[in-house]
Structure formats: C-alpha cells, structure tokens
Amino acid sequence: MSLRRAGLYLGGFLGPFGGGVTTAMLPELGTSYGVSPGTASASLTAFLLPFAAAMLVSGTFGERWGRSRTVRAAYVLYTLSSLACVVAPTWTLFLGARALQGVANAFTTPLLMAALAASVAPEALGRALGWYGSLQAAGQTSAPLVGGLAAEVDWHYAFYGVAAVALALAVVGIPADERGAARARVPLRSAWTPGVLRLGLIAALGWGCLASLGFLVALRLVDVFTLDAGPRGLALTGLGAMGIVTARLVGAGVDRLGARRCVLAGAISGGVLLAGVGLAPVLWLLVACWALAGISSQLILVGVNALVLTREGGNRGGAVSVVQSIRFFGAAASPAALPPVYHADPLAGFLVPAGVLALVTPLALPRPVPAEDPPDTANGTLAQ
C-alpha cells in the first residue's frame, strides 16, 4: 500500500478522533476556562455543527478546486486550528478554534472517500470502504480514551498530537485523480439530486435511530440495571468495538451481495436489535443486542457510501458530502427528539426509532436503474 493510500485511511481516523477528543476531558477544560463541565460539553457541538453545515457544499467546492489541493489546505487549517485550541486564552476563542477544526474536517472527509473510490477497482470498493469505516469507528471509539489519558497529565497534549498528525497528512497528500484535470466546473445542484437526498435520509436514520442512541441505552442501564459509570461505559463501547471488528467483513459482503441488500439487511436487523435493547430482561442480553447493532450500523454506513460513490455523475465528492451532512444532522436531532419519548414510555423510546429505521429505509432506498439492452449487432442493426 502506498503512503498516500495509507493517508486516506489515517485521514478517516483523524476526523472522528478530533471531533470526540474532548469527550472525556470536560472537567479539565472547565477548570482551565472557568466554566462548568456541562458548559464545556459545548466543545463537542462547536465542532459538529460547523462540520455538518459545511459538508452541504464542501465536497462540491473541493471537486471544483481539485481534491488533492483542497485536502492539503484543509489539513493545514486543521493543524492551525488545533494549535489555536492549545493557546486560546478564553473559552470563546477555544470554541471558535473548535469550529474551525470542524470546517476543516468537512473539507477532508467527503474528498477522502471520493479519492478512495477513484483509487480502487469497482469490485473492491466495498472492502476499501469497510477498512475506511473501521478506522472511522476506531477514531470515534478511541477519542475519549486518548483524550482522557492526555487530560490526566495536561489536556493540551491531545491537541498537540492532533495537530502533528494533521500536518503529516498535509505533507503526504492523497492519490492524484487522473481525471481531475479534465473535470468541468461542477455545479452545486449536481450533488442535490433526489437519489442523493434519499441516501442522505437513510444515513440520517441509520445514525439518528441506531448508532447514536448510546445516550438512550445509558438511561436504560441506569434506570433498570443501576449500573455505575465504569460498567456503563464498558457496555456502551460494544457497538463501536463490533463495528471496528466487522467493518472489513461488511465491506466484502457489499462487494458480493450488493450495497442495496446490505443496507436493507442493516436497517431491518438494526430495528430488531434496537427493540431487543428495549425489551431485554437481563443485562447480558441488552449488551449483546447493542454490540450486534454495531454490525447493522456498518451495513448501513458502508452500503450507503458504496451506493453514493457508484452513482452516475462526476460530482462524487459533492454527493458524499451532502449524504454525510444529512447523516450528522440526523445524529444531532436524536438527543433532542427521543428523550421525551423515553421518559413518557421507556419501551417506546426504543420501539419508535426501531420501527422508523426498519420501515422507512426500504421506502426511501432508491430503486436500481435497470440496465439497458445491449445493441444487437448480429445483422449490423440496433435492436428495435
């Protein structure tokens, strides 16, 4: 594997890692800036909202400017904003630096995936996306651990590390897109087709109704099983850990069975497993259902990414960025929408998102385009 190809995967790790690195250091951040740990949680929102908003257009602009040039510039911005987090003298400036990190990440994630699709054979795309998805899951899962360990000494070290990795990736760059020089100016509307928006809806359901429901699982672990913070955190890592372990196998399944089938399997199995989390009468069964849901979430993620990257049209980066933006807006909506349902009826808190995921996904999934009949050249004429 070339150094630039490896950089694509490491970039997939860096994005979610940088976004979640403050999760376990909120008390230390609060002490440094004289705010409460609850207020310090805004460091997560300050990254995620600009990230999701900028991705509505970042992929298309990146295709216009050139993938390699845009990704390098974004990594430089990521480096500078990470260092700005280190030296920020006030809480407001720290949040501003986190917002710049999110914007920079919005200009890497979709273009990295587009470059990955361009650098592998179509029949190997699922496996490549599986590897990429496993590293994204690893970044998301390890960020609280590494951030917490850094905060034991000095939370600033975590941002020094993020800045160093981003700078190294800026130097390495990404594989060149041989077709990039001939690409015409890409209009924004080319990424906003009905098919792309429907795939974005499915991605939002996959995250808003499944993968991001750890907060709801945590409530059930406390209310029903009275778990303390340590065991509760260990139970919640099951989904991410299972996603890391199985993402490559899921990618191979996408190549063999097709992306549509994998998305449908992920949505239906995810709905069943989420219902199992809400219904489980014993702790081990709840933990098992939640962990197995990590496979379902990877089936949806890798399948949707494969569908959007193999769609017709030249604006791959723009299409990916729109889908991912809608996905993260869906993830951001669930913490506001579902807790009232859970508090009204704990079982409904799980059955409602399970039903929405399993029932809406098959309806939203774009239909495959039928292949055209090949020309009949036996008699030198086209088939009528």
Side-chain angles (χ1 to χ4, degrees), residues 4-52:
R4 287 186 172 181
R5 178 82 175 275
L8 292 176
Y9 293 104
L10 184 55
F13 176 93
L14 179 64
F17 179 88
V21 73
T22 64
T23 302
M25 61 173 67
L26 299 181
E28 289 77 13
L29 277 176
T31 300
S32 294
Y33 288 105
V35 299
S36 69
T39 300
S41 66
S43 62
L44 298 167
T45 305
F47 181 100
L48 289 172
L49 283 183
F51 170 61

Side-chain angles (χ1 to χ4, degrees), residues 31-276:
T31 300
S32 294
Y33 288 105
V35 299
S36 69
T39 300
S41 66
S43 62
L44 298 167
T45 305
F47 181 100
L48 289 172
L49 283 183
F51 170 61
M55 273 208 299
L56 290 171
V57 297
S58 61
T60 299
F61 283 124
E63 294 282 9
R64 287 183 184 178
W65 302 331
R67 292 174 191 162
S68 181
R69 180 189 309 165
T70 302
V71 168
R72 284 181 185 272
Y75 279 137
V76 171
L77 177 60
Y78 205 113
T79 301
L80 295 176
S81 57
S82 298
L83 294 176
C85 288
V86 173
V87 301
T90 67
W91 178 239
T92 300
L93 290 176
F94 178 84
L95 292 180
R98 285 286 286 169
L100 284 177
Q101 276 188 311
V103 171
N105 192 27
F107 280 88
T108 62
T109 298
L111 298 178
L112 291 176
M113 294 176 65
L116 182 63
S119 67
V120 300
E123 61 271 15
L125 178 60
R127 285 186 288 274
L129 290 174
W131 277 112
Y132 187 87
S134 68
L135 284 165
Q136 283 192 310
Q140 184 177 13
T141 303
S142 64
L145 173 62
V146 175
L149 291 174
E152 291 284 344
V153 183
D154 186 336
W155 64 263
H156 296 86
Y157 288 139
F159 288 93
Y160 280 125
V162 169
V165 173
L167 182 60
L169 288 172
V171 173
V172 170
I174 63 174
D177 181 7
E178 296 179 356
R179 295 164 298 176
R183 184 180 291 119
R185 181 178 178 87
V186 182
L188 283 171
R189 65 179 178 274
S190 64
W192 288 82
T193 64
V196 170
L197 295 177
R198 292 172 75 168
L199 289 172
L201 172 61
I202 294 170
L205 292 176
W207 254 243
C209 293
L210 183 62
S212 65
L213 292 190
F215 66 93
L216 215 59
V217 180
L219 290 176
R220 179 162 168 77
L221 289 172
V222 172
D223 295 342
V224 178
F225 300 102
T226 62
L227 256 62
D228 293 330
R232 190 165 67 244
L234 183 61
L236 290 175
T237 61
L239 181 140
M242 188 65 75
I244 294 171
V245 171
T246 62
R248 181 173 176 271
L249 295 175
V250 168
V254 169
D255 288 333
R256 294 191 62 179
L257 302 174
R260 292 188 83 257
R261 291 177 179 174
C262 288
V263 171
L264 287 171
I268 295 170
S269 64
V272 171
L273 290 166
L274 189 58

Side-chain angles (χ1 to χ4, degrees), residues 337-367:
L338 292 178
V341 180
Y342 175 86
H343 290 304
D345 184 338
L347 181 56
F350 291 94
L351 293 184
V352 168
V356 170
L357 177 66
L359 296 176
V360 176
T361 297
L363 298 175
L365 195 61
R367 302 297 178 190

